[in-house]
Structure formats: structure tokens, C-alpha cells
Amino acid sequence: MLEISRRGQAMPVSPFRKLAPYAELARQQGRIVYPLNIGQPDIETPPAALAAVRNADIRVLGYSHGAGTESYRHRLAAYYQRAGLPVVMEDIIVTTGGSEAILFALLTCLNPGDEIIIPEPFYGTYTAFSIAAGVNIVPVTARIDNGFALPPLANFERALTPRTRAILICNPSNPTGYVYRRAELESILGLCKAHSLYLISDEAYREFCYDAPYVSALELAGAEPNVVVVDTISKRYSACGARVGALVTLNKQVYVAAFRFAQMRVSPPGLGMLLAEAAAELPESYFDESKAEYQARRDLTVARLQAMPGVVCPRPGGAFYVLAHLPVDNTEAFGQWLLESFSYENQTLLLSPANGFYQTPGLGSQEVRLAYVINRTDLAAALDCLERALLAYPGRTEPPLTTTEVASAFTAPLLTQLQ
């Protein structure tokens, strides 16, 4: 009998897309569905970057070098150098999105059956890449009550086994928005050096830190042999569809092995690199407007969530996500109910249940990730829906409200929306 591979059977559904079919049905029924489930920004892709593709004089769209075109890698190296990172062209492998860079990093640094320690909650797709690479995730749990800060180093030390080969962090974090301080990064790198581990640092959101400067793992003293950085232009330039990322390392052995994996797919996207090269030439001031907009959306989202009874929402320092505890029995059931049974002024919202961001069974069942990637008017409307839905949901875990209280809550004016 034909059977699907064990990898195929173990591959999970995307945690931020699992409710998408219910959203499609809701839209077909004529309801407005606000998409807070996925990190797809509505910020305009830089016109100069799009023009570079539109105006390219190309007769034959051929393969590039397996590591990417030299012209783009030179531009990208200059971008890193402006950020204070000691990176040259020969340290960069251009990849098909940050996703391919994650996979290459795992395939290069770990053998099948090896273990990688990851602070949870973590970007849900790490699970899929680990399954594809035959790698086992060992989670170390961060806590909502301290804003999902890096867990104590002793917790990482207890998670070490003879099979441990790497630690993977996302900074700023997807899904929590936490930004690691220099001292936290130095402690993790110190642990990696003491036990001969790789430190894989996913830095997809480096431009979007709101309360403190960004620190890259590559700028830490002694980072050269241990650190592998995963990067992407998807969020930086609101260019998710270009599918251009990078694996960056100063470790030449890692680079050579990763390049061999890169040769499997021959070359990264040619048109995407044209767009990325033009984007890399934008001045540093380009980020001022988008960063200010995301910060305003963060402030709106956090203020509204923290004002909702029973909701616990730390204030994220970066990226464009919040991970919040909701007073519901199960956020996956709540998310489905939002799309199947709830409507406020013919509107509802799509969210990501947080259980898909944890490796430990049972964690995240009352938490949700919200992506504040839509304009503030729509974001406020989505939060209106959430506020009313939490009052009406049959599976609310706090004592049920009286009919009078519910009516009052639904008719009372909401908090003044932040501008």
C-alpha cells in the first residue's frame, strides 16, 4: 500500500493559515474579515525597487551565481556595513526568502537526529523546517508575565544533551515582538561557545525596534565561528512576494557547506534580486516613515488590548506582532467561532491561535498572535470586533456577564482611538 513519508505525516498545518478556509467562507457570505493572522504588511513596496524590475533591459532571464549576483551581494554587504556589521560580499548567500536560509542553516549545522534549542513561543514554521531536516526541537519556555524575555540561562543549560548542536533565536521575535538586549545575546553566545554550539539568529525584523537599539548577533565579540544569521527583505521593504533572503556567516566552513546546498536549487530569484538591489540603495531615512507607522499601530493595539477585561498583553519592543492571553477556553475554537458565528456590523477578524507557536503540548491554548499590519482605521475596527466578541463568546473563561452588562458593553463608546 502506498504511504506518505513520515516527514509528510508529521508536517504541521501553518499556525497562521489554519483558519484561513473559514475566513474565505465568511467573505463569501459577504462579511468583512480583517486579516490579523499573518505578517503581510500593507506598507507600500518601495516604488524605486519595483521600477528597477519594470525597467530592466533583459533579453534572457538566466541563472545567476548560486550565491546570488555579485552586484546585489555587494549592495547587501554595504547595507550590513552601514549597520555596523563586519560583513563582506563573500559572507552572503542569497536565498529564496528567509525560509530557504532557515532550511540551509539547519541542513548545514545539524545532522538528522540532532537537537536544536529554541525559546518558545517561536515562529511556527521552524517546526516544519526541523521536520524537513530531521532535526528535533527542544523548547525552552518564555513567560508572558515578563514579556517573553529570554528565559534564564540555567533553563538552556538544563536542556542541553549530547545531541544538542545549536540554539535558534528570532530577534526581534516573531511571534512575541520581544527584542533581546545585548546582555541576553552575549549570555546565549557564551553558552554556545562553551558547548561548541551554533547560534542561528533570525533577524528578519531588525529595522523595527521601537524602544531600544537593535543588536545583531554578528556584532558580538567572538561571534565569527558560531553565528549564522538568517535575513530577508520581505518585511524590511514590504516585499514578501519577491522571495529574497540571505544566509550570512563569517564561518567559512559553514559558508562553503551552505553554498553546496544552495547549488541544489541552482540560483535565487533573478527578478527578486533586481528589486532587492534597488531597495538596498535606499537611504536610511526610508525606514523612518514605516517604523513610525508600525509603532503607532503597536501603541493602538496594545492600549486597546490592555483595556479589555481579562486580556493580558505585554508591550512588544519590535516586529509587528503581539502575543496576548485571552479569557477564552481555547483560542483556536474562538478563532473559528469568530469566522463562523460572530459578526459586528458585518465585520469580524482572522487571528492566529498561539498553540502553533509552542512545541510543548498544551501551551498557548489561551493565547493568540495578532499582526498589526493593516492601516489604523481597519485595525481599530478589527479590535472593536475582538472586544465585542470576547464579551459574547460562549467559551469565555471569566464569570459570564449579565444581560444588562453585555448590553451596556456593546452600546458604550469604546476607548478613544489613538491617532
Side-chain angles (χ1 to χ4, degrees):
M1 186 177 77
L2 293 174
E3 291 186 356
I4 299 298
S5 70
R6 287 190 293 273
R7 285 191 186 93
Q9 294 176 43
M11 193 62 63
V13 176
S14 167
F16 30 85
R17 294 185 186 271
K18 63 171 61 176
L19 296 178
Y22 301 102
E24 289 305 310
L25 288 174
R27 292 188 180 103
Q28 291 171 15
Q29 294 164 1
R31 279 184 288 162
I32 296 171
V33 179
Y34 294 109
L36 304 188
N37 63 308
I38 194 167
Q40 171 56 66
D42 68 350
I43 301 292
E44 182 182 50
T45 306
L50 294 172
V53 178
R54 188 180 302 113
N55 300 330
D57 183 12
I58 299 173
R59 293 184 61 252
V60 177
L61 186 61
Y63 296 126
S64 74
H65 188 283
T69 61
E70 286 196 10
S71 58
Y72 174 48
R73 284 186 288 150
H74 275 301
R75 293 282 191 282
L76 186 55
Y79 156 82
Y80 289 127
Q81 291 161 15
R82 291 194 298 272
L85 304 184
V87 174
V88 296
M89 182 197 78
E90 292 81 7
D91 301 323
I92 298 169
I93 297 173
V94 183
T95 57
T96 306
S99 298
E100 190 175 69
I102 296 167
L103 181 60
F104 287 171
L106 295 180
L107 292 171
T108 300
C109 298
L110 295 95
N111 290 311
D114 283 347
E115 295 174 353
I116 185 167
I117 298 174
I118 312 179
E120 65 177 356
F122 54 74
Y123 176 48
T125 311
Y126 292 157
T127 301
F129 291 124
S130 296
I131 291 171
V135 171
N136 299 316
I137 294 176
V138 177
V140 174
T141 307
R143 297 160 51 94
I144 194 171
D145 57 10
N146 67 355
F148 299 106
L150 188 75
L153 201 62
N155 294 9
F156 286 87
E157 291 171 334
R158 282 194 292 270
L160 292 170
T161 77
R163 301 296 299 175
T164 307
R165 294 291 179 270
I167 296 175
L168 169 58
I169 60 172
C170 183
N171 186 35
S173 169
N174 174 7
T176 69
Y178 185 82
V179 179
Y180 292 117
R181 303 188 305 273
R182 180 178 291 273
E184 292 174 311
L185 294 171
E186 288 174 341
S187 70
I188 287 294
L189 178 60
L191 184 67
C192 288
K193 296 183 81 65
H195 295 274
S196 298
L197 308 177
Y198 291 105
L199 175 58
I200 302 173
S201 183
D202 183 344
E203 303 186 359
Y205 301 90
R206 70 168 68 236
E207 254 72 37
F208 308 116
C209 295
Y210 311 118
D211 305 318
Y214 179 75
V215 178
S216 170
L218 273 177
E219 65 186 84
L220 302 177
E224 293 84 356
N226 300 82
V227 172
V228 179
V229 162
V230 169
D231 201 5
T232 175
I233 72 164
S234 291
K235 312 308 165 81
R236 179 174 301 136
Y237 302 113
S238 194
C240 299
R243 307 315 301 138
V244 174
L247 182 149
V248 185
T249 182
L250 307 183
N251 182 320
K252 293 307 177 186
Q253 287 184 309
V254 170
Y255 184 94
V256 169
F259 176 68
R260 290 172 183 161
F261 284 112
Q263 288 180 314
M264 290 191 304
R265 52 85 170 111
V266 186
S267 68
L271 294 178
M273 285 188 287
L274 284 177
L275 182 148
E277 185 173 338
E281 295 180 327
L282 293 169
E284 192 66 24
S285 59
Y286 161 77
F287 297 104
D288 293 346
E289 185 175 348
S290 55
K291 182 176 176 180
E293 175 61 24
Y294 284 133
Q295 184 167 351
R297 294 178 185 184
R298 178 202 65 171
D299 293 345
L300 168 62
T301 302
V302 171
R304 291 291 304 277
L305 288 171
Q306 291 182 345
M308 297 179 193
V311 174
V312 177
C313 177
R315 181 182 178 88
F320 37 63
Y321 307 101
V322 295
L323 196 76
H325 170 94
L326 303 184
V328 300
D329 53 357
N330 181 280
T331 50
E332 188 167 339
F334 174 65
Q336 185 173 335
W337 174 85
L338 280 170
L339 297 165
E340 289 187 322
S341 305
F342 175 79
S343 178
Y344 171 67
E345 295 183 349
N346 201 40
Q347 303 168 103
T348 190
L349 68 150
L350 174 59
L351 45 73
S352 290
N355 58 350
F357 299 99
Y358 285 89
Q359 182 79 3
T360 303
L363 294 185
S365 61
Q366 291 182 285
E367 295 174 354
V368 63
R369 188 194 75 170
L370 300 175
Y372 46 90
V373 291
I374 59 177
N375 68 78
R376 276 178 274 171
T377 299
D378 287 351
L379 182 59
L383 293 167
D384 288 349
C385 292
L386 179 60
E387 183 172 12
R388 287 167 168 82
L390 287 173
L391 296 174
Y393 179 56
R396 185 180 176 90
T397 56
E398 292 191 344
L401 303 179
T402 66
T403 302
T404 302
E405 287 172 327
V406 171
S408 174
F410 270 65
T411 57
L414 292 169
L415 292 173
T416 301
Q417 296 174 7
L418 299 178
Q419 298 300 318

